[in-house]
Amino acid sequence: MTERPARAARTVTRGAAVAAAVVVLVTAATAVLVALAAPGDSLRVTVRLLPLVLVVGALAVVAVLGTAVLRARTRRRSTQRLEHAREQARRFEQEARTRFLARLDHELKNPVTAIRAAVAGAGDDAGPEERARSLATLVSQSTRLSALVADLRKLAELGTQEIEDEDVDLAQVVRDAVEDVCAQADAAGAPRPAVDVALPTAPWPLPHVRGDVDLLYVAVYNLLANAVKFSPPGTRIEVRGTDDDGTVLVEVADAGPGIPQDEVGVVFDELARGRDARGLPGSGIGLALVRVVAQRHGGDVTLRSRVGQGTSVRLRVPTAGPSGGGPTVR
């Protein structure tokens, strides 16, 4: 019998026992009342003090022992649930580590293989053109490896290093990131992204948050860059800011191809890259960085996606203090 049916059976058994006890007590009480109320009849009860004290004492001992047994059982169940949760956490951590090592192996194997081939192709027998191609391969692949190592080091440091604790206008961070993403597209000769920004101004603007303005910029920029990378040309990208009762929420939504449901749960893992994204530039570190930045600021980041419709990512950061608004009426 699995855990759930067994638990249901125990619940039914306890319910039946309680119901039977209630029926017995009600029946006994009714019988006594009927006997007392019957006309012409009388009931005389004589109780000796010593047996009464012994009975009451025995009932008290039974009650104390029963309470102790119930408490011990409750503690044992709490301990079992805690141990089960710890075991699940250890299993999840081990699975995440295994996935990370598999991705790292994949990310390192391709450039290393290309470098070996380039070195072999630049031997003494190689002509000038072949040597030039080999040299270009060496430069590009070593640059790719260097960027990957730098991103991993940045991610590792971000998890432990001290961060700034300053007043940050997250609305201005959003405006800066949008401007930079568009400027970079212009500089690369790519179509300018169609980004709609909706930041509240009434009845009050977005409240400020406490944190590191550079890291928060990195988080918002990465969300925008991802939306631009996966959006077909001409489709709209929407950036919305919301004051959510003590939390500033920045949502970046695109109308791209979306993410399959079996990949949504791991998109924030290090080096995670979807099946449809493996041909695109990037190391799979961006969303992992966003998650760590959110956590270091006491917030979180979540993602919703539908294949063929698009993706929405929400970054939440606690405000620096009172949200500035009046009490919420529900």
Side-chain angles (χ1 to χ4, degrees), residues 143-165:
T143 301
R144 177 180 172 184
L145 282 176
S146 177
L148 176 62
V149 171
D151 285 345
L152 289 173
R153 184 172 61 245
K154 185 191 307 178
L155 186 62
E157 292 174 350
L158 182 56
T160 57
Q161 71 180 20
E162 292 291 332
I163 65 173
E164 297 291 335
D165 181 21

Side-chain angles (χ1 to χ4, degrees), residues 35-45:
L36 293 174
D41 295 335
S42 63
L43 177 65
R44 174 178 293 177
V45 179

Side-chain angles (χ1 to χ4, degrees), residues 225-269:
N226 263 355
V228 171
K229 182 164 65 175
F230 292 104
S231 293
T235 57
R236 311 296 297 181
I237 296 170
E238 297 183 1
V239 183
R240 296 179 280 269
T242 307
D243 172 13
D244 189 16
D245 286 341
T247 301
V248 174
L249 188 153
V250 175
E251 179 179 19
V252 179
D254 65 64
I259 302 171
Q261 286 304 304
D262 63 325
E263 296 179 354
V264 168
V266 298
V267 292
F268 292 105
D269 287 357

Side-chain angles (χ1 to χ4, degrees), residues 172-218:
Q172 186 59 47
V173 171
V174 169
R175 287 189 284 266
D176 291 342
V178 171
E179 183 178 343
D180 289 347
V181 166
C182 293
Q184 288 182 5
D186 292 341
R192 191 178 181 86
V195 183
D196 292 333
V197 180
L199 298 171
T201 57
W204 46 77
L206 282 182
H208 290 191
V209 301
R210 298 291 301 181
D212 190 312
V213 65
D214 294 330
L215 293 181
L216 290 169
Y217 171 84
V218 167

Side-chain angles (χ1 to χ4, degrees), residues 6-179:
R7 186 183 303 169
R10 288 195 296 271
T11 302
V12 171
T13 301
R14 284 198 296 270
V18 170
V22 170
V23 169
V24 170
L25 289 175
V26 170
T27 303
T30 303
V32 170
L33 291 175
V34 169
L36 293 174
D41 295 335
S42 63
L43 177 65
R44 174 178 293 177
V45 179
T46 302
V47 179
R48 296 182 181 280
L49 181 59
L50 181 58
L52 177 62
V53 170
L54 292 175
V55 170
V56 171
L59 291 176
V61 170
V62 170
V64 170
L65 291 176
T67 303
V69 169
L70 289 176
R71 288 181 175 175
R73 183 179 298 176
T74 302
R75 284 197 297 271
R76 185 169 63 252
R77 288 178 178 173
S78 298
T79 303
Q80 290 173 344
R81 285 196 293 268
L82 181 61
E83 185 59 33
H84 180 65
R86 287 174 175 167
E87 178 60 29
Q88 282 188 318
R90 283 194 291 270
R91 189 181 305 119
F92 178 78
E93 184 178 355
Q94 181 60 38
E95 291 174 354
R97 177 178 173 79
T98 301
R99 289 196 302 268
F100 170 74
L101 291 176
R103 294 180 191 125
L104 183 61
D105 175 72
H106 177 78
E107 292 295 327
L108 293 178
K109 185 166 56 181
N110 288 342
V112 168
T113 301
I115 288 174
R116 285 179 174 172
V119 171
D124 295 337
D125 297 336
E129 293 184 359
E130 190 173 359
R131 286 186 178 181
R133 285 197 298 271
S134 297
L135 180 60
T137 300
L138 286 171
V139 171
S140 64
Q141 296 301 325
S142 60
T143 301
R144 177 180 172 184
L145 282 176
S146 177
L148 176 62
V149 171
D151 285 345
L152 289 173
R153 184 172 61 245
K154 185 191 307 178
L155 186 62
E157 292 174 350
L158 182 56
T160 57
Q161 71 180 20
E162 292 291 332
I163 65 173
E164 297 291 335
D165 181 21
E166 56 190 344
D167 186 82
V168 178
D169 182 357
L170 206 49
Q172 186 59 47
V173 171
V174 169
R175 287 189 284 266
D176 291 342
V178 171
E179 183 178 343

